[in-house]
Amino acid sequence: MASAMPVMAPTFMPPNQPLPGDINTENYTHRDTNPVQLVSEQPVSTFSIDVDTGAYTNVRHMLNAGRLPPADAVRAEEFINYFDYGYTPPADRAQPFSVATELAPAPWNAQRQLLLVGIQGYRVPAAQIPASNLVFLIDTSGSMNEPDKLPLLKASLKQLVRQLRARDRVAIVTYAGRAGVALPSTAGDRHATIDAAIDSLDARGSTNGGAGIELAYAQAAQGFIEGGVNRVILATDGDFNVGTVDPQALKSIVEDHRKGGVALTTLGFGEGNYNDAMAVMLADAGNGSHHYIDNLAEGRRVLVDEMSATLLTIAKDVKIQLEFNPAQVQEYRLIGYEKRLLKREDFNNDQVDAGEIGAGANVTAIYEITPTGSAGARIDPLRYGSRAEPQGHGNELGFLRLRYKLPGQSASRLIEQPIAAQAEAEAGERLRWAAAVAAFADALRGGKYLDGYGYRQIAQLADGARGRDADGYRAAFVQLVKLAEGLATPAPASPETFAR
């Protein structure tokens, strides 16, 4: 007889434990896309401007890495405002920005129209840029120890160093498990000293961002320049997990110091634990802008090429209000700016915080509108509804109002102008490009309002509107659209396709 085989106890292998970086903890604020509005029910659209660009470069980073972005990472206005539209700047700083409009058929549905509203900030000559007191608040926690994080940040900061002048001040505060001063407030022309402080930065430990913020503002207070640019620039890849971590508490700290004359700008880096929601919220609270740095060229663009737009505010609390004429417009939809929507009564309330315009910055808003009586209407008329007859101004599409404050002033100023209802037969290069960028953002969020207009048509539209593209930004955009098309899941084939 064969000997009895020993009975083996079953072996249970523990599941693989995730390594740091395996779990994606990126955080984006969810906002529903702006809906179509009936002019008969909601004739007035009110929002504040936004000069952030972080959503575009973050999505660019994802697409170049071979993946489509989550819908909440896509903010249409930050895609549109990444590009320069060649608006004519104001002649002097008395009125800090100029306003341009354009109206033409929508490329995805000729029964609708696109209205472009463009704002161009006054370009301050380099010699007139006031002294700057800059405090770089740098995340040196362990998660920053990746090539596209702290090393990229250090290389980006070095692009700025050569631009600093003797009258400027710069300090570097770091935070990990605790906060510290890597460089006390130092004259801007001490380039070697500043470079050495940048070189000394390394990444380790947890993330005590709350303590870092307080220390950064203390350094800003020490180097404060009356009448100059006083700004903290927060550079991080993720969340605060030690010390003050409550978002509202951090927001209150930033708002309090903003009222004292110190603004806050945020720079995002890397992936996996990137907290976009926090970075955007703090920048908004600090009267600053949010940017995402995905490569060294972008670091130079933000910190050198567009430094005055990033740092020097020429108009604050800028609000836009557009009243549509029901004789000309049946429906409208504001593309983007979901996080900047305001109540109608907020427009005239100078206590309501709004967006800022930096020197030389341009801001673009696009409305998709349905002309009154057009077959392109999306909303059925009410059976029992009645529409009041418009009183006069029949040749106007709408009436545009802008409010803004000059830096250091508490009372707003008002600009008003009617918008003619006469549309161009064909969109110009500027509007075609803006339409392509807006459509791309919409497509990445699901394409709900594009009437089947897909990535291929968007790429063709953009390619035909590239114009003068000295830096190659527009050519790179066309390639991004093509990458998205290749990554997108194709629509399922119909049963008839299989039958054939």
Side-chain angles (χ1 to χ4, degrees):
M1 294 180 63
S3 59
M5 295 294 292
V7 178
M8 303 295 292
T11 301
F12 296 98
M13 297 297 293
N16 291 331
Q17 296 299 310
L19 296 172
D22 289 348
I23 301 175
N24 189 319
T25 59
E26 293 189 359
N27 183 23
Y28 300 95
T29 301
H30 173 73
R31 294 180 178 88
D32 292 332
T33 301
N34 286 331
V36 176
Q37 302 281 4
L38 276 172
V39 174
S40 60
E41 297 175 355
Q42 191 71 258
V44 179
S45 170
T46 309
F47 65 100
S48 76
I49 60 92
D50 195 320
V51 294
D52 295 353
T53 59
Y56 176 73
T57 45
N58 183 29
V59 168
R60 180 173 70 186
H61 176 72
M62 295 183 198
L63 291 172
N64 282 325
R67 64 185 188 278
L68 290 169
D72 289 336
V74 180
R75 294 184 290 274
E77 72 277 9
E78 297 184 28
F79 279 47
I80 297 167
N81 289 331
Y82 185 81
F83 299 95
D84 180 31
Y85 294 89
Y87 302 127
T88 302
D92 58 63
R93 204 167 168 178
Q95 181 174 309
F97 52 82
S98 59
V99 182
T101 61
E102 185 175 348
L103 179 68
W108 47 85
N109 190 326
Q111 294 176 324
R112 302 194 195 103
Q113 297 172 335
L114 294 183
L115 170 65
L116 176 148
V117 178
I119 296 174
Q120 175 63 56
Y122 174 68
R123 295 192 175 102
V124 178
Q128 295 180 19
I129 295 177
S132 298
N133 168 39
L134 307 178
V135 179
F136 288 93
L137 174 56
I138 298 176
D139 181 352
T140 55
S141 61
S143 64
M144 287 288 285
N145 191 22
E146 295 180 20
D148 61 349
K149 295 182 180 180
L150 187 59
L152 175 57
L153 168 56
K154 291 164 69 172
S156 298
L157 289 178
K158 284 195 170 185
Q159 301 295 309
L160 170 64
V161 172
R162 300 296 174 270
Q163 314 301 315
L164 296 171
R165 307 156 298 181
R167 64 177 181 266
D168 298 325
R169 308 289 300 179
V170 62
I172 299 176
V173 172
T174 63
Y175 66 93
R178 60 188 179 85
V181 178
L183 178 72
S185 189
T186 300
D189 62 346
R190 296 183 59 185
H191 295 164
T193 301
I194 300 169
D195 275 344
I198 294 171
D199 288 335
S200 71
L201 301 175
D202 62 356
R204 64 184 69 186
S206 54
T207 316
N208 192 342
I213 284 181
E214 292 286 15
L215 188 54
Y217 280 121
Q219 285 292 310
Q222 287 184 20
F224 193 87
I225 299 174
E226 197 67 41
V229 175
N230 295 280
R231 188 174 295 264
V232 171
I233 300 174
L234 168 61
T236 180
D237 72 330
D239 215 342
F240 300 163
N241 53 34
V242 174
T244 302
V245 297
D246 177 62
Q248 291 304 314
L250 292 167
K251 180 182 178 182
S252 295
I253 293 170
V254 172
E255 288 176 336
D256 288 344
H257 287 285
R258 177 196 76 203
K259 295 171 184 175
V262 180
L264 179 92
T265 290
T266 57
L267 306 178
F269 290 83
E271 62 188 25
N273 63 325
Y274 174 53
N275 192 343
D276 175 89
M278 177 78 77
V280 170
M281 180 196 70
L282 293 181
D284 288 346
N287 278 4
S289 52
H290 169 61
H291 308 270
Y292 178 89
I293 309 300
D294 59 336
N295 56 50
L296 185 55
E298 185 64 21
R300 183 173 180 85
R301 170 181 163 128
V302 172
L303 294 175
V304 177
D305 299 341
E306 299 180 355
M307 182 173 65
S308 59
T310 304
L311 302 179
L312 179 59
T313 299
I314 59 171
K316 64 177 185 175
D317 292 341
V318 183
K319 305 171 187 175
I320 298 176
Q321 188 170 82
L322 184 53
E323 179 187 352
F324 288 99
N325 182 357
Q328 297 289 343
V329 182
Q330 186 168 334
E331 300 169 345
Y332 68 89
R333 177 175 71 92
L334 174 62
I335 300 178
Y337 293 95
E338 285 85 2
K339 71 186 179 76
R340 288 292 193 175
L341 299 179
L342 296 173
K343 297 177 181 177
R344 184 173 174 182
E345 63 266 25
D346 290 343
F347 183 75
N348 292 325
N349 187 347
D350 285 350
Q351 303 305 309
V352 174
D353 184 54
E356 283 66 44
I357 292 181
N362 68 86
V363 181
T364 301
I366 300 175
Y367 286 92
E368 182 187 24
I369 66 173
T370 305
T372 297
S374 168
R378 288 188 169 102
I379 302 175
D380 291 333
L382 295 173
R383 176 180 176 88
Y384 304 108
S386 62
R387 187 181 66 200
E389 291 300 318
Q391 301 296 315
H393 310 296
N395 62 340
E396 294 178 4
L397 182 86
F399 195 67
L400 178 66
R401 299 177 178 91
L402 294 103
R403 279 201 178 277
Y404 68 95
K405 299 173 188 171
L406 292 175
Q409 296 188 5
S410 57
S412 66
R413 303 186 180 194
L414 177 65
I415 297 175
E416 297 179 309
Q417 68 178 60
I419 299 174
Q422 184 62 44
E424 300 293 334
E426 183 178 311
E429 180 184 283
R430 173 189 292 162
L431 182 52
R432 294 201 311 276
W433 179 262
V437 179
F440 183 45
D442 202 346
L444 290 171
R445 289 180 62 91
K448 178 180 178 180
Y449 294 107
L450 291 178
D451 297 339
Y453 201 75
Y455 289 116
R456 188 160 300 178
Q457 293 103 313
I458 294 169
Q460 291 172 348
L461 177 64
D463 201 39
R466 280 166 52 185
R468 184 176 177 274
D469 186 26
D471 295 315
Y473 294 129
R474 296 190 173 200
F477 171 84
V478 176
Q479 292 305 311
L480 280 187
V481 179
K482 293 178 180 178
L483 290 179
E485 180 190 12
L487 293 169
T489 302
S494 65
E496 291 79 7
T497 302
F498 293 108
R500 289 196 297 269

